Amino acid sequence: SYRHHDLGLDGEDGSHLFAMLVNDASNGVGSQILKGAQIAAMESNSAVSLIEIGNSIMWAQRLVDNIIDRLDGLILCTDKLGVAKVRELQNRVPVVVMNRPMEGVSSVVPDPLLGVTRILMLLKRYGLRDVAYIAGSHSEWANESRWEALSLICPHFGMRLRQIGSVKPSIEGGMQAALALEGALPDVVICFNDLIAAGVIRKFGVDGIRVPADVSVVGFDSTLVAPMVNPPITTIRIPRAQMGQTAVNMLLGHRIAPALNL
Protein backbone atom coordinates (compact mmCIF):
# COMPACT_ATOMS: atom_id res chain seq x y z
CA SER A 1 0.00 0.00 0.00
CA TYR A 2 1.11 3.60 -0.24
CA ARG A 3 0.17 7.11 0.62
CA HIS A 4 -0.57 9.30 -2.38
CA HIS A 5 -1.40 12.90 -3.06
CA ASP A 6 -1.19 14.88 -6.27
CA LEU A 7 2.07 16.77 -6.49
CA GLY A 8 1.29 18.59 -9.72
CA LEU A 9 4.53 19.19 -11.62
CA ASP A 10 4.13 21.31 -14.75
CA GLY A 11 7.26 21.71 -16.86
CA GLU A 12 7.11 24.11 -19.78
CA ASP A 13 7.64 21.33 -22.33
CA GLY A 14 6.04 18.60 -20.20
CA SER A 15 9.41 16.98 -19.43
CA HIS A 16 10.95 16.48 -16.01
CA LEU A 17 14.22 15.30 -14.49
CA PHE A 18 13.97 13.13 -11.39
CA ALA A 19 16.76 11.61 -9.30
CA MET A 20 16.58 8.26 -7.53
CA LEU A 21 18.95 7.98 -4.58
CA VAL A 22 20.22 4.57 -3.42
CA ASN A 23 22.83 3.49 -0.88
CA ASP A 24 24.34 0.82 -3.14
CA ALA A 25 23.64 0.57 -6.86
CA SER A 26 25.12 -2.96 -7.11
CA ASN A 27 22.67 -4.87 -4.91
CA GLY A 28 20.04 -5.35 -7.63
CA VAL A 29 17.14 -3.84 -5.70
CA GLY A 30 17.74 -0.29 -6.91
CA SER A 31 18.10 -1.43 -10.53
CA GLN A 32 14.70 -3.13 -10.42
CA ILE A 33 13.03 0.01 -9.09
CA LEU A 34 14.91 2.16 -11.60
CA LYS A 35 13.70 0.04 -14.51
CA GLY A 36 10.06 0.66 -13.64
CA ALA A 37 10.71 4.33 -12.88
CA GLN A 38 12.37 4.87 -16.25
CA ILE A 39 9.48 3.22 -18.11
CA ALA A 40 6.97 5.54 -16.45
CA ALA A 41 9.20 8.56 -16.98
CA MET A 42 9.71 7.88 -20.70
CA GLU A 43 5.97 7.69 -21.19
CA SER A 44 5.82 11.27 -19.91
CA ASN A 45 8.83 12.60 -21.85
CA SER A 46 10.86 12.63 -18.63
CA ALA A 47 13.99 10.97 -17.22
CA VAL A 48 15.21 9.38 -13.99
CA SER A 49 18.86 9.54 -12.94
CA LEU A 50 20.32 6.98 -10.51
CA ILE A 51 22.63 8.38 -7.84
CA GLU A 52 24.58 6.18 -5.42
CA ILE A 53 25.22 7.94 -2.12
CA GLY A 54 27.09 5.28 -0.16
CA ASN A 55 26.90 4.89 3.60
CA SER A 56 27.88 8.37 4.78
CA ILE A 57 24.95 10.38 6.15
CA MET A 58 26.94 13.63 5.91
CA TRP A 59 27.91 12.95 2.29
CA ALA A 60 24.33 12.06 1.38
CA GLN A 61 22.99 15.31 2.80
CA ARG A 62 25.67 17.40 1.10
CA LEU A 63 25.09 15.71 -2.25
CA VAL A 64 21.34 16.21 -2.13
CA ASP A 65 21.73 19.87 -1.20
CA ASN A 66 24.02 20.36 -4.21
CA ILE A 67 21.68 18.83 -6.78
CA ILE A 68 18.21 19.58 -5.44
CA ASP A 69 17.67 22.82 -7.39
CA ARG A 70 18.38 21.04 -10.70
CA LEU A 71 15.65 18.45 -10.17
CA ASP A 72 11.88 18.23 -10.52
CA GLY A 73 11.53 15.47 -7.93
CA LEU A 74 13.30 12.91 -5.75
CA ILE A 75 12.79 9.18 -5.23
CA LEU A 76 14.51 8.14 -2.01
CA CYS A 77 15.56 4.48 -1.83
CA THR A 78 17.86 5.18 1.09
CA ASP A 79 17.64 5.37 4.86
CA LYS A 80 20.54 7.83 5.15
CA LEU A 81 18.28 10.88 5.18
CA GLY A 82 16.29 11.38 8.37
CA VAL A 83 12.71 12.51 8.65
CA ALA A 84 13.59 16.15 9.29
CA LYS A 85 15.88 16.26 6.23
CA VAL A 86 13.31 14.58 3.97
CA ARG A 87 10.65 17.07 5.02
CA GLU A 88 13.06 19.93 4.37
CA LEU A 89 13.68 18.59 0.87
CA GLN A 90 9.96 18.18 0.29
CA ASN A 91 9.57 21.93 0.75
CA ARG A 92 11.82 22.40 -2.28
CA VAL A 93 10.78 19.58 -4.65
CA PRO A 94 8.25 16.72 -4.59
CA VAL A 95 9.63 13.66 -2.78
CA VAL A 96 8.59 10.00 -2.74
CA VAL A 97 10.09 7.70 -0.12
CA MET A 98 10.48 4.01 -0.95
CA ASN A 99 10.25 1.06 1.45
CA ARG A 100 9.41 3.00 4.60
CA PRO A 101 6.25 4.87 5.60
CA MET A 102 6.88 8.48 6.61
CA GLU A 103 4.17 10.70 8.03
CA GLY A 104 3.39 13.65 5.79
CA VAL A 105 5.54 12.38 2.89
CA SER A 106 4.35 10.32 -0.09
CA SER A 107 5.58 6.74 0.30
CA VAL A 108 5.59 3.46 -1.62
CA VAL A 109 5.78 0.50 0.74
CA PRO A 110 5.35 -3.12 -0.39
CA ASP A 111 3.30 -5.51 1.70
CA PRO A 112 5.14 -8.86 2.05
CA LEU A 113 2.14 -10.68 3.55
CA LEU A 114 0.94 -12.34 0.34
CA GLY A 115 4.40 -13.58 -0.64
CA VAL A 116 5.09 -14.87 2.86
CA THR A 117 1.73 -16.66 2.96
CA ARG A 118 2.38 -18.37 -0.36
CA ILE A 119 5.85 -19.63 0.57
CA LEU A 120 4.73 -20.87 3.99
CA MET A 121 1.78 -22.67 2.42
CA LEU A 122 4.18 -24.44 0.05
CA LEU A 123 6.57 -25.36 2.86
CA LYS A 124 3.73 -26.75 4.95
CA ARG A 125 2.77 -29.10 2.11
CA TYR A 126 6.23 -30.65 2.43
CA GLY A 127 5.76 -31.11 6.18
CA LEU A 128 8.23 -28.40 7.18
CA ARG A 129 7.36 -26.81 10.52
CA ASP A 130 10.43 -25.27 12.15
CA VAL A 131 11.26 -21.85 10.64
CA ALA A 132 14.22 -19.57 11.41
CA TYR A 133 14.26 -15.99 10.10
CA ILE A 134 17.65 -14.32 9.62
CA ALA A 135 17.06 -10.63 10.19
CA GLY A 136 18.67 -7.66 8.54
CA SER A 137 18.96 -4.37 10.41
CA HIS A 138 16.25 -4.01 13.06
CA SER A 139 16.03 -0.32 12.20
CA GLU A 140 14.89 -1.03 8.62
CA TRP A 141 11.16 -0.91 7.97
CA ALA A 142 11.47 -3.70 5.38
CA ASN A 143 13.05 -6.04 7.92
CA GLU A 144 10.38 -5.36 10.52
CA SER A 145 7.54 -5.78 8.02
CA ARG A 146 8.90 -9.16 6.89
CA TRP A 147 9.27 -10.35 10.48
CA GLU A 148 5.74 -9.18 11.31
CA ALA A 149 4.32 -11.07 8.32
CA LEU A 150 6.11 -14.26 9.36
CA SER A 151 5.01 -13.82 12.98
CA LEU A 152 1.41 -13.43 11.84
CA ILE A 153 1.22 -16.35 9.40
CA CYS A 154 3.45 -19.04 10.97
CA PRO A 155 1.08 -19.75 13.91
CA HIS A 156 -1.85 -20.16 11.50
CA PHE A 157 0.05 -22.95 9.75
CA GLY A 158 1.22 -24.57 12.98
CA MET A 159 4.82 -23.53 12.39
CA ARG A 160 7.41 -22.63 15.00
CA LEU A 161 9.31 -19.40 14.33
CA ARG A 162 12.52 -17.95 15.74
CA GLN A 163 14.70 -15.02 14.75
CA ILE A 164 18.48 -15.02 14.22
CA GLY A 165 20.45 -11.79 14.09
CA SER A 166 20.45 -9.05 12.94
CA VAL A 167 23.30 -9.57 10.48
CA LYS A 168 24.78 -7.50 7.67
CA PRO A 169 22.64 -7.88 4.51
CA SER A 170 25.51 -9.58 2.68
CA ILE A 171 26.92 -13.01 1.83
CA GLU A 172 29.28 -12.69 4.79
CA GLY A 173 26.33 -11.95 7.08
CA GLY A 174 24.58 -15.07 5.82
CA MET A 175 27.62 -17.23 6.46
CA GLN A 176 27.83 -15.97 10.04
CA ALA A 177 24.14 -16.69 10.61
CA ALA A 178 24.47 -20.20 9.11
CA LEU A 179 27.20 -21.00 11.60
CA ALA A 180 24.91 -19.96 14.46
CA LEU A 181 22.13 -22.21 13.10
CA GLU A 182 24.15 -25.39 12.68
CA GLY A 183 23.84 -26.36 16.34
CA ALA A 184 20.03 -26.47 16.09
CA LEU A 185 19.17 -26.80 12.42
CA PRO A 186 15.61 -25.73 11.50
CA ASP A 187 13.53 -27.14 8.66
CA VAL A 188 13.52 -23.80 6.86
CA VAL A 189 15.74 -20.71 6.88
CA ILE A 190 14.04 -17.56 5.58
CA CYS A 191 16.48 -14.70 5.02
CA PHE A 192 15.98 -10.95 4.92
CA ASN A 193 17.41 -10.84 1.39
CA ASP A 194 18.94 -13.00 -1.34
CA LEU A 195 22.52 -12.10 -0.43
CA ILE A 196 22.08 -13.45 3.10
CA ALA A 197 20.45 -16.57 1.63
CA ALA A 198 23.44 -17.03 -0.71
CA GLY A 199 25.80 -16.85 2.27
CA VAL A 200 23.73 -19.40 4.19
CA ILE A 201 23.78 -21.84 1.27
CA ARG A 202 27.52 -21.37 0.79
CA LYS A 203 28.32 -22.01 4.45
CA PHE A 204 25.99 -25.01 4.67
CA GLY A 205 27.64 -26.47 1.56
CA VAL A 206 31.13 -26.11 3.03
CA ASP A 207 29.98 -27.84 6.21
CA GLY A 208 28.24 -30.72 4.45
CA ILE A 209 24.65 -29.60 5.06
CA ARG A 210 22.56 -30.24 1.96
CA VAL A 211 20.12 -27.67 0.59
CA PRO A 212 17.24 -28.46 0.21
CA ALA A 213 17.60 -32.10 1.37
CA ASP A 214 18.60 -31.22 4.95
CA VAL A 215 17.24 -27.67 5.16
CA SER A 216 15.32 -25.33 2.85
CA VAL A 217 16.60 -21.79 2.31
CA VAL A 218 14.41 -18.90 1.14
CA GLY A 219 15.43 -15.34 0.28
CA PHE A 220 13.66 -12.06 -0.41
CA ASP A 221 13.73 -9.60 -3.33
CA SER A 222 14.26 -11.90 -6.37
CA THR A 223 17.57 -10.25 -7.29
CA LEU A 224 20.08 -11.45 -9.90
CA VAL A 225 22.04 -13.40 -7.30
CA ALA A 226 19.13 -15.83 -6.71
CA PRO A 227 19.56 -17.98 -9.87
CA MET A 228 23.38 -17.86 -9.71
CA VAL A 229 23.66 -19.83 -6.47
CA ASN A 230 23.85 -23.64 -6.46
CA PRO A 231 21.15 -24.65 -5.79
CA PRO A 232 19.26 -21.55 -6.99
CA ILE A 233 17.60 -19.59 -4.20
CA THR A 234 13.86 -19.83 -3.74
CA THR A 235 13.00 -16.17 -3.27
CA ILE A 236 9.96 -14.05 -2.43
CA ARG A 237 9.50 -11.47 -5.16
CA ILE A 238 8.85 -7.84 -4.31
CA PRO A 239 7.30 -5.88 -7.25
CA ARG A 240 10.18 -3.42 -7.50
CA ALA A 241 9.57 -2.35 -11.09
CA GLN A 242 5.93 -1.61 -10.29
CA MET A 243 7.07 0.35 -7.25
CA GLY A 244 9.34 2.46 -9.47
CA GLN A 245 6.47 3.16 -11.89
CA THR A 246 4.25 4.11 -8.98
CA ALA A 247 6.83 6.51 -7.58
CA VAL A 248 7.21 8.37 -10.88
CA ASN A 249 3.45 8.54 -11.36
CA MET A 250 3.13 10.01 -7.89
CA LEU A 251 5.73 12.65 -8.75
CA LEU A 252 3.87 13.45 -11.93
CA GLY A 253 0.61 13.74 -10.04
CA HIS A 254 -1.14 10.92 -11.85
CA ARG A 255 -4.09 9.10 -10.32
CA ILE A 256 -3.11 5.52 -9.55
CA ALA A 257 -4.53 2.40 -7.90
CA PRO A 258 -4.67 2.39 -4.10
CA ALA A 259 -2.62 -0.77 -3.43
CA LEU A 260 0.38 -2.84 -4.51
CA ASN A 261 0.35 -6.63 -4.31
CA LEU A 262 3.27 -9.03 -4.47
Side-chain angles (χ1 to χ4, degrees):
S1 60
Y2 53 78
R3 297 179 179 87
H4 169 249
H5 57 266
D6 288 336
L7 299 170
L9 293 177
D10 292 308
E12 291 182 4
D13 61 354
S15 65
H16 306 283
L17 175 61
F18 306 125
M20 191 178 93
L21 273 58
V22 300
N23 293 345
D24 181 1
S26 66
N27 64 12
V29 173
S31 62
Q32 292 176 11
I33 296 174
L34 179 65
K35 181 178 180 179
Q38 288 177 327
I39 290 172
M42 285 189 293
E43 291 174 351
S44 301
N45 194 33
S46 300
V48 182
S49 175
L50 179 67
I51 300 177
E52 183 179 63
I53 63 174
N55 292 314
S56 169
I57 295 175
M58 184 176 297
W59 163 248
Q61 293 181 346
R62 186 181 305 153
L63 176 63
V64 171
D65 286 336
N66 286 338
I67 66 173
I68 191 71
D69 293 330
R70 308 173 194 175
L71 301 172
D72 297 308
L74 277 174
I75 302 171
L76 300 180
C77 304
T78 174
D79 57 357
K80 299 306 175 186
L81 300 175
V83 175
K85 185 62 179 179
V86 173
R87 288 177 177 162
E88 175 192 326
L89 294 172
Q90 187 179 230
N91 290 329
R92 301 170 69 180
V93 298
V95 174
V96 175
V97 177
M98 309 296 283
N99 295 318
R100 56 172 172 158
M102 187 175 293
E103 190 66 33
V105 181
S106 294
S107 303
V108 180
V109 288
D111 184 354
L113 193 60
L114 180 58
V116 166
T117 300
R118 286 174 173 170
I119 194 65
L120 292 180
M121 189 178 299
L122 177 63
L123 295 169
K124 182 183 178 182
R125 290 176 187 167
Y126 288 99
L128 307 179
R129 305 288 184 185
D130 187 16
V131 180
Y133 173 66
I134 301 178
S137 170
H138 291 309
S139 64
E140 281 197 39
W141 180 88
N143 179 72
E144 293 307 301
S145 69
R146 293 169 188 186
W147 170 248
E148 288 176 6
L150 287 165
S151 300
L152 179 65
I153 301 301
C154 277
H156 286 286
F157 289 157
M159 293 176 161
R160 298 178 298 273
L161 176 65
R162 55 189 163 117
Q163 184 170 153
I164 305 297
S166 62
V167 301
K168 290 183 178 180
S170 63
I171 290 176
E172 292 75 16
M175 294 180 71
Q176 293 171 359
L179 184 61
L181 284 167
E182 289 181 4
L185 200 64
D187 297 328
V188 183
V189 179
I190 298 180
C191 305
F192 167 70
N193 67 7
D194 292 339
L195 285 174
I196 293 175
V200 169
I201 291 173
R202 178 181 292 182
K203 179 60 177 172
F204 281 168
V206 169
D207 295 342
I209 298 172
R210 299 168 301 165
V211 177
D214 298 324
V215 58
S216 294
V217 178
V218 178
F220 261 99
D221 293 331
S222 189
T223 54
L224 293 176
V225 70
M228 300 181 69
V229 177
N230 187 22
I233 300 168
T234 298
T235 183
I236 299 172
R237 186 183 69 86
I238 303 296
R240 304 290 182 191
Q242 186 179 351
M243 290 172 63
Q245 289 179 296
T246 300
V248 169
N249 284 332
M250 292 169 77
L251 289 174
L252 291 168
H254 290 179
R255 295 286 183 183
I256 45 182
L260 284 176
N261 295 314
L262 299 186

